[in-house]
Amino acid sequence: MNRAMLLTNHRIRTGMAATMLVAGGLAVPGIAGAQGSLSALGFGYPVNGMSIRASGTAGAFGDIDPLSPINPAALGGIARTVLSAQAEPEYRRLTLGGVTERTASQRIPLLAVIFPAARGVAVGFSARGFLDRSYTTTTRGTADVDGASLSTNEQLTMRGAIGDIRGAVGWQIGSWARVGLGGHIFTGENTGVRERTFADTLRFGSTLDSSRVTYIGTAVSIGGEIRLFKGLAAAASYRAGNRFEARIRDTTRAAGNVPSRLGGTLRYDGITGSSFAVGFEQVNWSAMQSMASSRTRAHDALNLFGGAEVAGPRLRGVPLLLRAGYARTDLPFSTTSTPVREIRLSGGLGFPLARDAAAIDFSLQRATRSLAGSAAREAAWLLGVGIQVRP
């Protein structure tokens, strides 16, 4: 290897060590504006990991749906074992000026199992997506080697996610109330790989370097649901976050707290075969600011939801379930003092199978995202499919 190649390797590896101390938001200067996605800034997109039923209502049913690991009280009164798995890929398009970039994310946002116990008690275990940050960016530039300017291509690949593993118990006190308690472990990793290649491949080889960060944190959640009067119920849940650490090779490089969350929902089911819900949630994302780089801003979010589920045409004597919803949410991370705003419209279908021994659900969400003061606009389709088995 010649001297020019050695110098190039040294400079690039030194740059990697400085700019990728924590791949995924801790210290990645300059990447946020070039990654081709508004939703994956900072530590990533808040997947939420709700059931496909809840996704079909744009999240409005998240606090009252037993398969969505948000409100542990929703487990209370479940009388049959339920196994659930789902997939929800996302296809994004970012437009800035006359340039359009398309990316895709393949996700399995939720795996869940619920076991009934005696006297209205049920236990649930789940693994859901919490934050997702995966993308690939390619840029062209130059590098100075021994006073000569050489053309280069540089590819940065980020692959990472943080998940929420929950164990919870719910108790239906009577026909009028339910309560629940859950424990959470938040864990995951981000891996960044940077490769630089030179136009003159005969004289210069490519360089490759990587950085890997792991995350670990815990939280506790409580929840309740009460029937106010016939046809109208209210549900509320709260998650208290504990210490959240980012580690490189078992060494803690930064720490914050798992974001706390407060949510509430009103549900009306006084019309036979129909259910309507409106809700909100406040998420304290700023608890992760101390883990982020100086280029990343963490914003507390106030999210609003509204949705409905109604009985549709019958299939083999059982009605199909039709769903629709609207959500206005603030994404947790941006590069400015204002958050990325997201608007989602959703629809969904529920198909009962084998006399309600199984079900398959579909959802389709259209999301539009914008950042105040920026000309960048992002639009995305989120396609969801979930399978439930009740042996």
Side-chain angles (χ1 to χ4, degrees), residues 177-202:
R178 294 187 285 186
V179 294
L181 174 67
H184 304 252
I185 297 175
F186 291 83
T187 185
E189 67 176 41
N190 270 300
T191 300
V193 178
R194 175 171 287 174
E195 181 179 13
R196 176 174 287 187
T197 58
F198 293 83
D200 189 350
T201 58
L202 295 178

Side-chain angles (χ1 to χ4, degrees), residues 117-297:
R119 303 181 184 276
V121 176
V123 178
F125 299 93
S126 63
R128 68 161 181 150
F130 181 63
L131 289 168
D132 176 77
R133 189 172 192 262
S134 299
Y135 64 88
T136 299
T137 300
T138 301
T139 58
R140 295 182 179 180
T142 59
D144 291 329
V145 178
D146 287 344
S149 180
L150 305 176
S151 297
T152 65
N153 285 329
E154 188 171 285
Q155 179 172 286
L156 175 65
T157 301
M158 301 294 292
R159 293 291 180 265
I162 300 173
D164 172 11
I165 301 172
R166 188 193 77 165
V169 58
W171 177 34
Q172 182 168 330
I173 301 172
S175 60
W176 58 278
R178 294 187 285 186
V179 294
L181 174 67
H184 304 252
I185 297 175
F186 291 83
T187 185
E189 67 176 41
N190 270 300
T191 300
V193 178
R194 175 171 287 174
E195 181 179 13
R196 176 174 287 187
T197 58
F198 293 83
D200 189 350
T201 58
L202 295 178
R203 296 178 57 199
F204 300 97
S206 62
T207 62
L208 184 70
D209 213 336
S210 65
S211 178
R212 179 173 175 266
V213 185
T214 58
Y215 303 95
I216 186 69
T218 61
V220 176
S221 61
I222 59 173
E225 183 178 327
I226 185 169
R227 186 166 292 276
L228 302 175
F229 54 83
K230 185 177 180 180
L232 184 66
S237 61
Y238 177 72
R239 182 184 69 220
N242 299 319
R243 184 175 172 83
F244 204 7
E245 295 182 351
R247 301 173 178 174
I248 299 179
R249 298 187 181 92
D250 297 324
T251 299
T252 299
R253 300 300 297 267
N257 286 289
V258 172
S260 61
R261 175 196 174 274
L262 174 66
T265 300
L266 283 175
R267 178 183 64 187
Y268 178 73
D269 54 9
I271 301 175
T272 303
S274 301
S275 186
F276 306 87
V278 293
F280 80 96
E281 68 173 2
Q282 288 183 308
V283 187
N284 181 32
W285 292 107
S286 60
M288 296 180 66
Q289 181 63 64
S290 59
M291 301 169 65
S293 74
S294 59
R295 292 288 301 274
T296 299
R297 304 285 185 89

Side-chain angles (χ1 to χ4, degrees), residues 307-332:
E309 179 182 74
V310 300
R314 288 183 172 271
L315 178 66
R316 296 182 178 181
V318 181
L320 303 180
L321 298 174
L322 309 179
R323 304 175 182 122
Y326 167 86
R328 192 215 71 182
T329 62
D330 295 326
L331 300 190

